[in-house]
């Protein structure tokens, strides 16, 4: 089943391991990105200058190259973004990052496999019965190996051999698969010279590319008879081969694998492979199985309850593994549709309740890009980007069916080719916007920010021209559209009017809403000082009374400034304490008048002022009683003491304390007499009936009381009525008739 390796060659191989050739360490150097066919982007390298980004489309460029088709077809991408692709038109191309052809190399037959890029500067590719090593820089042939005679740099005899499996490269050896006659073969060649190290014949033909274990010591490959092989990578000896089975089929009958695709090997050496299986050699089902490094089966998909979902289906290409412990795999269904499945690598359970369905079969391996997103195409020419949760990120229609595995370049550009004879190689780029924002972010100000158009690897999409729309939440932002981008970035002023917390900015490409990006939440603080308020704005006080005042600074949009502002207080009369801070207490002076309390808000070199008006007035004296009514004796009556009233007065002093006027108080009356005019409590006697005012003056304060003096009532006439039975009397007060009284006599 295998050709022996001469002992001397083994010695040379082992001796040369220190300087052995391997896959290039960055970019996407082979089918599935690495020798394990994990299909996961490994960022690295520095791309050359990008092509211009067409707004509204993910297509950076397309290059007509005759199309790709086959379960191991695909692209290899170098560390500087150069793409290497072997086409159905029998040509190996090197295409630069701007879509320009760097060189082309003629192959002897149409190619159906992805090339591999070594860290020795060689590109390895197979077509028909010949396998080639070509200089990556120049496109010059370094050597060729003929499958039908095992010779290097000699013409082949055309015996029907065909390279079908994309190469793997490790430890100075390049591995690939081919079909010759009715059998499949695994070849191992010296990567530097092309000399054959060994070959292994499979039980059946194959459509599988080889995959290596993480350490490179074991090579795995599947064949069209349903066998999975584990070979020693050094000498090609068989470690084991098995026909895995779907456990759900085995539970109800005899189960056999009938065709296995390219396997993928996980970080712990577990193998994952899709294929076709038969129940009782009659009913076909598609499925996925996982085995451990010793060949023991770990799990299979589907489970019994979901078995009918894969009736007549196939999984013709390799799965892609994610860093989060999942795998993606494409499916072609019995009804002519397709799907992308996401399964747990630990137990094979679906991660999504429903596979992401497509209208056409999915015949190629997916690729894993930014944050676990899956890129894949279907035979209708639709190309998809699906999130790890199974939702569509974006979709684009290409010119014809996609039957090759996409590659992800060092800058996140996705490369994929279509399969028609007139098909093209496409470079697709998804823009993700990121932000550089100042912290803190001031409101009501023109604030300079930068919006970056990044690729999934975090590098700049240099050709993106913009503009992008801008939105803010929960507060709006102006302007709503950026200017043009230069070098993958736009820097310009924006304004958010209202201070808030948890604000986010979102940039979106107007022509392709899937290209978007949101900033991390940030706090919008009040902007620069513009005004200050004082409360209250006016007050009326007595001498010595106090009033509390408070101040608040604001920006130009009315946002309260809570930090970074100091306050200074002053008054044109009276005192303020404290003289700094957001509040103070004003104490009125002893002198009545109108005074101003001023607060000054200070923020760096900015100041703002506000004022309050305080009216200080003397409290009037309170004369007690404030009014009195006195009776003046009758002029013709008996002598009696004249009516009189004693008065006192009080005042309100500092702190609101009430005091009695002292003996120095001055008293006056509008008429009549006072018992004393400089005393604390004089007695007032009116001169007769009338209204009078008694006034007290003390320490500049004045108070008054009113006195109403009335004359006593007297009978001015009494006479008998017309009859002897009545008596009439008239009463007069102060000369005025006030009442007539009538008595009835009995």
């Amino acid at each position: 089943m295998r050709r022996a390796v001469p002992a001397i060659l083994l010695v040379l191989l082992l001796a040369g391991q220190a300087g052995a050739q391997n896959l290039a360490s960055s970019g996407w150097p082979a089918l599935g990105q690495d020798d394990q066919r994990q299909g996961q982007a490994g960022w690295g390298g520095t791309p050359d200058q990008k092509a211009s980004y067409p707004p509204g489309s993910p297509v950076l460029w397309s290059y007509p190259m005759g199309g790709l088709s086959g379960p191991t077809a695909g692209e290899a991408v170098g560390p500087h973004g150069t793409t290497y692709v072997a086409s159905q038109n029998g040509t190996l191309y090197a295409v630069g990052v701007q879509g320009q052809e760097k060189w082309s190399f003629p192959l002897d037959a149409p190619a159906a496999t992805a090339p591999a890029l070594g860290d020795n500067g060689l590109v390895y590719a197979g077509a028909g019965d010949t396998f080639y090593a070509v200089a990556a820089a120049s496109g010059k042939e370094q050597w060729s190996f003929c499958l039908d005679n095992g010779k290097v740099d000699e013409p082949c005899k055309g015996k029907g051999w065909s390279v079908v499996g994309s190469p793997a490269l490790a430890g100075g050896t390049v591995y690939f698969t081919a079909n010759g006659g009715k059998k499949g073969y695994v070849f191992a060649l010296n990567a530097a010279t092309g000399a054959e190290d060994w070959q292994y014949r499979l039980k059946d033909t194959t459509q599988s590319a080889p995959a290596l274990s993480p350490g490179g010591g074991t090579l795995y490959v599947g064949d069209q008879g349903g066998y999975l092989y584990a070979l020693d990578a050094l000498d090609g000896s068989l470690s084991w081969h098995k026909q895995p089975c779907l456990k759900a089929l085995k539970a109800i009958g005899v189960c056999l694998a009938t065709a296995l695709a390219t396997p993928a090997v996980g970080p712990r050496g577990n193998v994952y492979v899709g294929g076709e299986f038969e129940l009782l050699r009659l009913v076909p089902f598609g499925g996925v199985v996982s085995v451990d490094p010793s060949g023991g089966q770990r799990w299979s998909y589907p489970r019994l309850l979901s078995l009918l979902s894969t009736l007549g289906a196939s999984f013709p290409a390799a799965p892609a593994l994610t860093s989060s412990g999942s795998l993606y795999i494409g499916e072609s269904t019995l009804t002519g549709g397709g799907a992308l499945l996401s399964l747990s690598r630990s137990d094979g359970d679906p991660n999504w309740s429903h596979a992401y369905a497509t209208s056409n079969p999915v015949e190629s391996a997916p690729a894993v890009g930014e944050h676990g997103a899956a890129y894949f195409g279907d035979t209708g020419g639709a190309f998809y980007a699906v999130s790890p949760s199974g939702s569509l990120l974006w979709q684009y229609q290409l010119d014809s069916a996609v039957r090759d595995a996409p590659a992800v370049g060092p800058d996140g550009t996705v490369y994929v080719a279509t399969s028609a004879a007139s098909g093209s190689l496409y470079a697709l780029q998804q823009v993700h916007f990121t932000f550089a924002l100042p912290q803190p972010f001031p409101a009501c100000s023109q604030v300079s920010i930068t919006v970056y158009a990044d690729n999934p690897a975090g590098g700049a999409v240099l050709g993106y021209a913009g503009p992008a729309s801008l939105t803010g939440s929960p507060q709006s932002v102006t302007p709503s559209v950026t200017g043009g981008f230069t070098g993958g970035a736009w820097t310009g002023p924006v304004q958010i009017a209202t201070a808030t917390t948890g604000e986010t900015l979102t940039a979106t490409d107007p022509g392709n809403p899937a290209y978007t990006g949101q900033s991390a939440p940030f706090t919008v603080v009040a902007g620069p000082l513009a005004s200050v308020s004082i409360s209250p704005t006016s007050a009326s006080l007595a001498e010595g009374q106090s009033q509390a005042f408070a101040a608040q600074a604001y920006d130009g949009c009315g946002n309260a400034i809570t930090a970074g502002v100091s306050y200074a207080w002053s008054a044109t009369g009276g005192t303020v304490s404290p003289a700094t801070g957001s509040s103070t207490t004003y104490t009125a002076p002893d002198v009545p008048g109108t005074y101003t309390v001023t607060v000054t808000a200070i923020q760096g070199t900015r100041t703002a002022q506000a004022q309050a008006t305080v009216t200080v007035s003397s409290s009037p004296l309170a004369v007690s009683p404030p009014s009195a009514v006195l009776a003046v004796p009758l002029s013709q009556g008996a002598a009696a003491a004249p009516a009189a009233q004693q008065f006192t007065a009080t005042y309100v002093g500092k702190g609101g304390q009430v005091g009695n006027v002292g003996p120095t108080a001055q008293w006056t009356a509008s008429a009549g007499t006072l018992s004393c005019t400089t005393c604390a409590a004089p007695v007032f006697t009116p001169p007769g009936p009338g209204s009078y005012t008694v006034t007290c003056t003390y320490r500049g304060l004045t108070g008054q009381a009113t006195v109403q003096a009335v004359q006593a009532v007297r009978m001015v006439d009494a006479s008998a009525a017309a009859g002897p039975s009545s008596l009439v009397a008239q009463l007069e007060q102060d000369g005025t008739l006030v009442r007539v009284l009538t008595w009835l006599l009995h």
Side-chain angles (χ1 to χ4, degrees):
M1 300 294 286
R2 65 182 178 88
R3 294 181 183 174
V5 180
I8 184 64
L9 182 56
L10 279 175
V11 173
L12 292 174
L13 286 172
L14 292 171
Q17 291 302 301
Q21 291 81 28
N22 298 284
L23 285 177
S25 59
S26 60
W28 191 283
L31 177 73
Q33 200 276 327
D34 54 22
D35 287 321
Q36 289 73 52
R37 312 299 187 193
Q38 292 186 10
Q40 183 178 168
W43 308 123
T46 305
D48 297 328
Q49 180 67 33
K50 300 300 296 178
S52 294
Y53 186 91
S57 168
V59 179
L60 286 172
W61 50 259
S62 62
Y63 177 79
M65 37 68 70
L68 295 182
S69 182
T72 69
E75 303 77 24
V77 184
H80 297 287
T82 298
T83 306
Y84 304 91
V85 57
S87 170
Q88 293 179 123
N89 67 9
T91 306
L92 176 64
Y93 294 97
V95 182
V97 293
Q98 298 188 31
Q100 79 282 15
E101 181 181 311
K102 302 180 80 170
W103 53 256
S104 62
F105 175 81
L107 305 171
D108 289 341
T113 65
L117 177 64
D119 61 4
N120 57 355
L122 297 182
V123 179
Y124 299 93
D129 56 8
T130 307
F131 191 82
Y132 302 88
V134 178
S138 64
K140 302 296 183 182
E141 181 180 326
Q142 302 302 297
W143 52 258
S144 64
F145 174 81
C146 181
L147 277 64
D148 63 14
N149 60 22
K151 301 294 182 63
V152 177
D153 296 334
E154 290 190 10
C156 293
K157 298 178 182 180
K159 293 185 177 180
W161 286 81
S162 178
V163 176
V164 294
S166 180
L169 180 65
T173 302
V174 58
Y175 306 91
F176 63 93
T177 56
N179 288 327
K182 296 182 179 181
K183 300 295 181 181
Y185 293 81
V186 181
F187 284 88
L189 308 183
N190 184 289
T193 66
E196 181 180 320
D197 289 346
W198 54 262
Q199 65 172 261
Y200 183 88
R201 188 177 69 184
L202 307 174
K203 290 179 174 293
D204 207 323
T205 59
T206 183
Q207 293 295 322
S208 168
L212 293 172
S213 63
T218 303
L219 181 147
Y220 300 97
V221 66
D223 72 11
Q224 293 300 99
Y227 280 91
L228 180 66
Y229 300 81
L231 306 178
D232 188 298
L234 183 61
D235 61 11
S237 59
L238 179 66
S239 297
W240 51 261
H241 70 297
K242 295 185 178 181
Q243 273 186 303
C245 179
L246 298 183
K247 294 182 179 180
L249 292 180
K250 192 173 183 180
I252 58 177
V254 177
C255 167
L256 292 174
T258 57
L260 295 181
T262 299
V265 185
R268 298 182 179 179
N270 295 317
V271 182
Y272 308 88
V273 62
E276 299 175 15
F277 303 83
E278 287 186 354
L279 174 63
L280 303 176
R281 297 186 180 272
L282 295 173
V283 186
F285 290 85
V288 184
V289 297
S290 174
V291 301
D292 61 32
S294 64
Q297 188 159 327
R298 301 175 62 236
W299 53 258
S300 65
Y301 170 88
R303 301 288 195 264
L304 183 60
L305 293 179
S306 56
L307 185 60
L308 289 179
S309 65
T310 65
L311 176 64
S314 64
F315 295 85
L321 312 185
T322 73
S323 59
S324 61
S326 298
L327 67 82
Y328 298 119
I329 191 166
E331 177 185 13
S332 296
T333 65
L334 177 64
T335 58
L340 179 75
L341 281 71
S342 175
L343 306 178
S344 167
R345 295 209 307 269
S346 63
D347 56 16
D349 284 344
N351 292 319
W352 307 332
S353 58
H354 299 283
Y356 185 85
T358 61
S359 300
N360 298 282
V362 178
E363 296 182 357
S364 62
V368 181
E370 181 190 23
H371 307 308
Y375 301 104
F376 67 101
D378 67 22
T379 59
F383 192 77
Y384 307 87
V386 173
S387 75
S389 63
S391 61
L392 180 68
L393 296 174
W394 53 268
Q395 176 181 341
Y396 191 75
Q397 184 65 38
L398 304 179
D399 61 54
S400 59
V402 176
R403 290 189 169 92
D404 83 317
V408 183
D411 64 347
T413 300
V414 180
Y415 300 90
V416 65
T418 52
S419 64
S422 59
S424 299
L425 172 66
Y426 288 86
L428 308 175
Q429 179 67 277
Q430 182 183 12
V431 172
H432 175 74
F433 295 104
T434 58
F435 293 82
L437 306 174
Q439 289 295 322
F441 192 106
C444 199
S445 307
Q446 293 293 311
V447 180
S448 180
I449 70 168
T450 299
V451 183
Y452 297 99
D454 289 345
N455 57 50
V461 180
L462 301 178
Y464 183 78
S469 64
L470 271 181
T471 57
S473 178
Q475 301 299 326
S476 60
V477 62
T478 56
S480 59
V481 179
T482 70
F485 281 59
T486 301
W490 171 81
T491 298
V494 301
Q495 179 171 311
I496 298 173
T498 306
T500 186
T501 59
E503 178 76 4
T504 58
L505 296 181
T506 300
T508 304
D509 182 87
N512 195 331
Y515 300 158
T516 187
Q518 186 179 81
S519 72
F522 60 96
T523 298
V524 181
V525 299
L529 173 67
S531 65
V532 64
S533 67
I534 188 171
S535 179
T537 57
S538 64
S540 296
L541 303 176
E543 299 105 315
Q545 280 190 310
S546 298
Q547 173 68 51
F549 288 92
Q552 177 62 63
Y554 297 92
D555 65 14
C557 297
N559 298 297
I561 303 175
T562 58
V565 174
S566 59
Y567 300 88
W569 296 87
S570 62
T572 56
T575 60
V576 288
S577 179
T580 59
S582 61
S583 62
T584 191
T585 298
Y586 170 77
T587 302
D590 291 339
V591 180
T594 300
Y595 301 95
T596 300
V597 176
T598 301
V599 63
T600 301
I602 306 166
Q603 185 186 60
T605 59
R606 295 174 177 267
T607 60
Q609 284 189 339
Q611 294 180 331
T613 300
V614 180
T615 301
V616 178
S617 59
S618 299
S619 278
L621 294 177
V623 178
S624 179
S627 63
V629 177
L630 301 178
V632 177
L634 298 175
S635 56
Q636 66 271 35
Q645 175 68 52
Q646 186 179 44
F647 290 94
T648 60
T650 59
Y651 64 92
V652 179
K654 291 183 178 181
Q657 295 179 346
V658 178
N660 296 314
V661 297
T664 59
Q666 301 295 315
W667 295 86
T668 61
S670 58
T673 60
L674 292 166
S675 61
C676 59
T677 57
T678 304
C679 58
V683 175
F684 170 71
T685 302
S691 297
Y692 307 97
T693 301
V694 177
T695 301
C696 178
T697 302
Y698 183 72
R699 294 182 180 178
L701 303 177
T702 299
Q704 290 182 334
T706 59
V707 177
Q708 183 71 34
V710 297
Q711 196 172 44
V713 178
R714 67 189 179 91
M715 184 179 297
V716 295
D717 185 31
S719 62
S725 60
S726 64
L727 178 65
V728 178
Q730 295 181 347
L731 301 180
E732 184 182 277
Q733 185 179 49
D734 294 333
T736 302
L737 181 65
V738 296
R739 184 168 296 181
V740 176
L741 301 177
T742 301
W743 290 270
L744 297 178
L745 303 176
H746 299 285

